[in-house]
Amino acid sequence: MESIWFIIIITLSFCATIKALINLLQTPKKLPPGPVSIPIITSFQWLRKSFADLEPTLRNLKTKYGPIVTLSIGHRKSIFITTSSLAHQALIQNGAIFADRPPAPATSKIVSSNQHNISGASYGPLWRLLRRNLTMQILHPSKIKSFSPARNWVLNIIKESIKKESNSGQNPVLVVDHFQFGMFCLLVFMCFGEKLDEKKIREVESVQRSFLLGFGKFQILNFFPKFTKIFLKKRWEEFYKLRNDQEKVLIPLIRSRQEQMKKTFEDNEKSLGLCYVDSLLNIELPDEGGRKLTENEIVSLCSEFLNAGTDTTSTALQWVMANLVKYQEIQSKLYDEIKTLDSGDDEIKEEDLKKLPYLKAVILEGLRRHPPGHFVLPHAVTQDIGLDGYVVPKEATVNVMIAEIGWDSKVWEDPMMFKPERFLSEDGILNEELSDVTGNKEVKMIPFGAGRRMCPASGLAMLHLEYFVANLIKEFKWTAKVGDDIDLSEKQEFTIVMKNPLWAHVSPREQDWVFNFFSAGMLAKLVASPVLTLEYATRSSLSIVTPIVQPNIIKGNTWVSISVSRKKWELHSAAQTQIVISGDEEKAMWESCKQALSAFNFNDEEEEKILGKAFGQLHSPYWGEERTKEVPKLETVNAILDCLKSLGLADEDIYKLLKKFPEVLGCNLETELKNNVQILEKVWAIKGKTLRSLLLRNPKVLGYTIDCKGDCAALCTRCWVRF
Ligand code: HEM
């Protein structure tokens, strides 16, 4: 086999060398400089390299040949633009000429249904139609807004799956898996208009990711496909199988949506919210007799949508979080900014993101320092054109080095450092010029490309990054695994990912907050405690690490750690037991209590759960084993609700509070609720609006054993020391 390949390559090289010599004599085009290449052999060598391998070579060639370099890769000349000024000249000043795509290699032709997708289509009417469809039907700001509940749904999926894997902060979490799955949930919903169950979403994720991860492996098939079809038959079969698997998963989803649309139309029902597939089913191609897209073309377009929207975003999310774990001071600064919103809501709303300039700076810095794609997709020119004194010919492929541009030390000070502050003025205002990622005026960083082929979803991608990072930082504190230094080395997959994926300890903030809140005042009490010898302590030197209860570790004159339980109690998280109600009288009492709750807009199931958890009928880690089952009296429930109202909480506040901390209804009104409020007001001077925000943020404060001196070894589940 080896010798046959050798003969083929030598023969082809010989023919190509002759052809190249003839071309050289015929056309006096001055191509940008580059290393000498032996036809076929050099092409073959380059083809076997990934873009990540190419990057360091190109950097060296840039030093030798200047900012624009030619290589012979595959059948075409490849021209690489390495600087921001040339990128601007090409992609912006000569935007229309540089907006074409080269002919697709054999494997891409199959995946893209012969370049009938947005990223592969030539610059012309088909591309315009498909791109306009995506931007108008899905990426228009009003459409993006309509997917806001879906983003909230996905946020909760990510939060819950992280909590589950981390066992409320005790175990380290492989972060990227959660981001990838979350982004698939979201993009699958935007694509097919349905919240599919986990199994189905995993199926879609699996077929799509197999393609992405096989991207490099199948490149070789494009080197004289007629030959590879004979000599690499198995690999071709593997490739076709992947495409078949993809069709098997995506086509039923497309058909199901088509059926639903038909039914909605026939039954004259209210129309379904528009999704990407709906828009594709409606497209007619005017240049092809007004025909509709084929099923295969729709599969290709959905696949493009899913890949473009999931892998890029989850990769960027991982890089940003890795830096926030590595540089704790940046994470703290971001969390401080988030706390200024003080909305009392569980979630940071999308409309509030614009109030967070530091967040935006963190995301921009993530995209500059770690752009998911280090190159734009291959471009081509519609006609020969001069650039920097050379000719870029029509038959060449053109590429732009995104990462290299973002790391240019002439534009960015200390370019390899992660410094979000570089995007802000001294008074914390975002620098408009630096944070412009379109490159329209001037190219400084272009993580989404620039010009006519620039990513059409940059706005959506920024929203996804800001929304998920803000909410995940609000909800959790992210720290490195003990002894882990966070390795920021890169590896090429479809995007440039972390070579060693991020593992992090992710613990609920609530405990962190309570700890900080009480630590200052309680330290005084701790000093007085007979079991402690405290010589020196600062708030920042306290860290929460493991679940072993050991409140008094002192080494030399520095606090090493205070270990606390990482339990965070959720309405839905605990194993449930049966609600036991005996007799008509108890049933009536139970129903009347539910009635009292219905005033706050709970549904029947939520009312059952709240009362069940508050009165020991359903398992709640808050009580542990200590709560006996009880059917409450209406007066007991009403008294607690009245007390909450008297604290200035509106009905919506009480709704949120009870969702977070249903057990409050089962707390003792005098010794717990009122007593704790009194301590908060008198000792901590927390009252009025501040008290309201505190209660919304951390309602469990109403049930804590608040005056514990911390010398009880924290056996009681409600001791502040445990949070
Ligand atoms: C952090 C997230 C993202 C990054 C960094 C990113 C980056 C890019 C880049 C560098 C290009 C190539 C530009 C060029 O060839 O000049 C591109 C193209 C594209 N992106 Fe994105 N992208 C992201 C998210 C998305 C999302 C969420 C979608 C869709 C839902 C999307 C859809 C596309 C499409 C369709 C193209 C092809 C455009 C064309 O050829 O006209 N991208 N993106």
Side-chain angles (χ1 to χ4, degrees):
M1 176 72 85
E2 293 275 305
S3 56
I4 296 176
W5 267 111
F6 183 73
I7 294 167
I8 292 170
I9 290 174
I10 293 296
T11 317
L12 291 172
S13 300
F14 181 72
C15 300
T17 310
I18 300 290
K19 191 167 174 260
L21 281 174
I22 295 169
N23 282 349
L24 208 66
L25 293 173
Q26 281 175 348
T27 48
K29 283 177 194 166
K30 193 180 166 205
L31 285 174
V36 179
S37 66
I38 307 165
I40 311 286
I41 292 179
T42 315
S43 299
F44 184 70
Q45 277 173 344
W46 285 123
L47 252 191
R48 292 178 55 199
K49 294 189 187 235
S50 71
F51 267 116
D53 298 328
L54 260 183
E55 214 177 350
T57 314
L58 280 165
R59 230 166 265 140
N60 288 338
L61 294 175
K62 176 184 174 186
T63 325
K64 190 165 174 193
Y65 296 107
I68 179 164
V69 173
T70 305
L71 295 180
S72 296
I73 304 180
H75 309 292
R76 293 167 70 92
K77 296 282 177 209
S78 291
I79 293 171
F80 288 88
I81 295 174
T82 64
T83 60
S84 38
S85 64
L86 281 188
H88 192 261
Q89 277 180 45
L91 299 176
I92 305 292
Q93 292 169 10
N94 293 294
I97 296 173
F98 279 84
D100 210 1
R101 295 281 188 216
T107 50
S108 304
K109 260 195 185 140
I110 295 163
V111 174
S112 66
S113 299
N114 204 14
Q115 296 186 265
H116 277 60
N117 65 352
I118 305 172
S119 52
S122 309
Y123 183 58
L126 176 69
W127 168 77
R128 224 163 269 125
L129 180 81
L130 296 175
R131 185 164 165 129
R132 195 178 322 119
N133 174 65
L134 174 65
T135 47
M136 295 309 290
Q137 304 292 349
I138 302 296
L139 301 174
H140 187 274
S142 65
K143 297 287 165 29
I144 289 185
K145 195 151 189 265
S146 72
F147 288 111
S148 160
R151 283 186 284 276
N152 181 253
W153 167 65
V154 169
L155 174 65
N156 287 325
I157 290 177
I158 298 178
K159 286 202 297 204
E160 287 309 315
S161 67
I162 285 180
K163 278 183 206 162
K164 203 166 154 205
E165 191 189 328
S166 73
N167 195 9
S168 294
Q170 296 184 43
N171 305 325
V173 172
L174 180 60
V175 172
V176 72
D177 284 358
H178 301 275
F179 294 162
Q180 254 160 24
F181 180 65
M183 292 321 295
F184 265 99
C185 293
L186 183 52
L187 271 284
V188 164
F189 178 77
M190 294 174 78
C191 190
F192 302 104
E194 252 186 282
K195 282 184 185 164
L196 301 178
D197 61 32
E198 179 173 346
K199 187 166 162 273
K200 254 287 92 22
I201 298 174
R202 294 256 179 229
E203 260 175 43
V204 178
E205 184 184 7
S206 161
V207 288
Q208 290 304 119
R209 287 201 60 75
S210 303
F211 253 116
L212 288 186
L213 299 178
F215 180 77
K217 182 173 163 191
F218 297 122
Q219 280 292 80
I220 191 72
L221 300 179
N222 297 320
F223 190 72
F224 293 102
K226 281 193 183 136
F227 289 98
T228 57
K229 281 203 171 142
I230 300 165
F231 296 106
L232 293 173
K233 203 164 159 228
K234 281 241 158 59
R235 207 173 287 191
W236 269 107
E237 280 168 10
E238 207 184 319
F239 175 76
Y240 280 123
K241 183 176 176 312
L242 280 189
R243 176 67 183 184
N244 278 340
D245 290 348
Q246 189 186 44
E247 285 168 5
K248 268 191 222 146
V249 172
L250 300 190
I251 288 180
L253 295 173
I254 296 166
R255 289 188 187 158
S256 147
R257 184 66 186 183
Q258 198 166 15
E259 280 304 307
Q260 277 179 47
M261 274 170 75
K262 218 162 102 192
K263 192 169 169 304
T264 313
F265 182 74
E266 282 166 5
D267 298 352
N268 238 344
E269 281 175 18
K270 203 169 141 250
S271 75
L272 304 159
L274 188 101
C275 65
Y276 191 43
V277 165
D278 298 348
S279 72
L280 297 175
L281 287 166
N282 286 333
I283 284 184
E284 288 170 358
L285 305 177
D287 285 2
E288 298 184 43
R291 76 163 173 91
K292 296 263 187 186
L293 291 171
T294 63
E295 238 170 21
N296 259 335
E297 286 167 340
I298 298 183
V299 167
S300 296
L301 283 153
C302 290
S303 169
E304 172 184 66
F305 181 82
L306 294 171
N307 287 346
T310 52
D311 194 54
T312 45
T313 312
S314 54
T315 298
L317 275 174
Q318 183 182 212
W319 281 117
V320 170
M321 295 313 293
N323 279 284
L324 292 178
V325 171
K326 193 172 177 77
Y327 306 112
Q328 285 290 315
E329 66 287 1
I330 299 180
Q331 186 180 152
S332 303
K333 202 166 164 187
L334 177 56
Y335 183 50
D336 286 346
E337 180 181 70
I338 287 168
K339 280 194 291 186
T340 60
L341 286 179
D342 203 22
S343 64
D345 288 321
D346 267 355
E347 175 212 3
I348 297 176
K349 298 269 180 301
E350 290 170 11
E351 52 274 21
D352 285 339
L353 293 171
K354 57 180 176 302
K355 299 179 194 157
L356 304 173
Y358 193 68
L359 168 72
K360 178 103 181 207
V362 166
I363 304 297
L364 287 168
E365 181 67 342
L367 289 170
R368 184 197 65 80
R369 179 61 189 84
H370 306 281
H374 281 202
F375 294 84
V376 296
L377 299 173
H379 282 236
V381 287
T382 50
Q383 63 186 61
D384 290 2
I385 180 165
L387 187 68
D388 204 30
Y390 302 104
V391 174
V392 177
K394 194 170 173 330
E395 56 278 9
T397 296
V398 181
N399 215 306
V400 179
M401 295 181 76
I402 292 181
E404 190 65 10
I405 287 173
W407 299 346
D408 186 348
S409 57
K410 291 191 193 103
V411 181
W412 304 96
E413 200 184 298
D414 299 329
M416 301 317 273
M417 293 197 34
F418 192 85
K419 275 204 304 198
E421 286 73 13
R422 66 173 88 241
F423 291 97
L424 300 169
S425 66
E426 270 185 7
D427 42 3
I429 295 169
L430 210 62
N431 180 322
E432 296 278 328
E433 226 175 83
L434 284 181
S435 51
D436 171 23
V437 288
T438 65
N440 283 345
K441 273 196 198 148
E442 199 183 347
V443 166
K444 285 193 189 300
M445 61 179 268
I446 46 168
F448 300 103
R452 296 181 192 215
R453 286 289 186 157
M454 181 184 164
C455 178
S458 59
L460 179 73
M462 287 300 288
L463 170 66
H464 286 172
L465 293 172
E466 288 176 32
Y467 176 75
F468 289 111
V469 169
N471 276 296
L472 291 172
I473 290 294
K474 175 186 160 79
E475 182 78 11
F476 302 113
K477 183 172 169 67
W478 300 68
T479 46
K481 266 200 308 186
V482 178
D484 191 349
D485 190 31
I486 307 297
D487 176 9
L488 297 176
S489 314
E490 297 165 340
K491 180 178 102 176
Q492 163 104 48
E493 281 184 358
F494 181 66
T495 46
I496 302 286
V497 298
M498 288 181 75
K499 186 170 169 194
N500 294 306
L502 174 66
W503 282 88
H505 275 290
V506 187
S507 32
R509 284 279 180 193
E510 196 174 82
Q511 62 193 27
D512 188 45
W513 178 85
V514 175
F515 188 80
N516 284 340
F517 171 71
F518 282 106
S519 59
M522 290 310 277
L523 279 174
K525 294 184 178 179
L526 285 169
V527 177
S529 164
V531 293
L532 288 172
T533 39
L534 182 71
E535 290 164 314
Y536 170 70
T538 64
R539 215 175 97 160
S540 58
S541 67
L542 303 175
S543 66
I544 297 175
V545 282
T546 67
I548 310 148
V549 179
Q550 199 179 10
N552 54 342
I553 307 169
I554 300 169
K555 243 190 201 171
N557 60 0
T558 311
W559 276 57
V560 176
S561 67
I562 286 200
S563 308
V564 291
S565 159
R566 294 185 176 281
K567 285 208 173 83
K568 186 188 177 204
W569 294 302
E570 287 289 318
L571 187 56
H572 305 287
S573 63
Q576 315 255 316
T577 54
Q578 204 66 36
I579 293 179
V580 181
I581 297 173
S582 48
D584 287 349
E585 195 185 336
E586 280 199 349
K587 193 156 183 266
M589 282 162 64
W590 188 259
E591 285 305 319
S592 61
C593 292
K594 279 173 65 182
Q595 187 74 33
L597 288 181
S598 66
F600 300 93
N601 273 336
F602 290 110
N603 63 34
D604 191 66
E605 194 192 339
E606 286 169 331
E607 290 161 9
E608 291 276 330
K609 276 192 180 162
I610 290 171
L611 290 174
K613 293 211 163 199
F615 295 98
Q617 297 279 359
L618 297 176
H619 174 76
S620 150
Y622 179 77
W623 302 117
E625 300 307 313
E626 72 185 71
R627 189 81 168 79
T628 44
K629 286 188 181 204
E630 190 187 343
V631 173
K633 290 192 179 122
L634 176 62
E635 299 86 79
T636 313
V637 170
N638 274 340
I640 301 273
L641 292 173
D642 288 344
C643 173
L644 295 177
K645 282 184 199 161
S646 74
L647 301 176
L649 298 175
D651 285 0
E652 312 86 81
D653 298 336
I654 295 179
Y655 173 87
K656 285 180 198 154
L657 186 145
L658 288 178
K659 281 220 138 188
K660 270 192 171 174
F661 183 40
E663 292 86 352
V664 70
L665 292 180
C667 290
N668 186 295
L669 179 63
E670 298 300 327
T671 58
E672 291 177 323
L673 251 72
K674 287 190 176 171
N675 180 47
N676 286 2
V677 168
Q678 210 178 11
I679 292 175
L680 289 170
E681 288 180 345
K682 292 221 168 108
V683 181
W684 305 96
I686 293 181
K687 35 184 115 165
K689 275 190 187 162
T690 327
L691 179 62
R692 175 182 167 268
S693 333
L694 164 64
L695 293 179
L696 290 177
R697 217 165 34 220
N698 182 26
K700 286 190 195 115
V701 73
L702 290 169
Y704 291 149
T705 312
I706 205 165
D707 54 356
C708 168
K709 293 186 176 46
D711 54 7
C712 61
L715 294 176
C716 146
T717 53
R718 286 180 286 148
C719 178
W720 68 269
V721 176
R722 294 195 57 142
F723 290 87

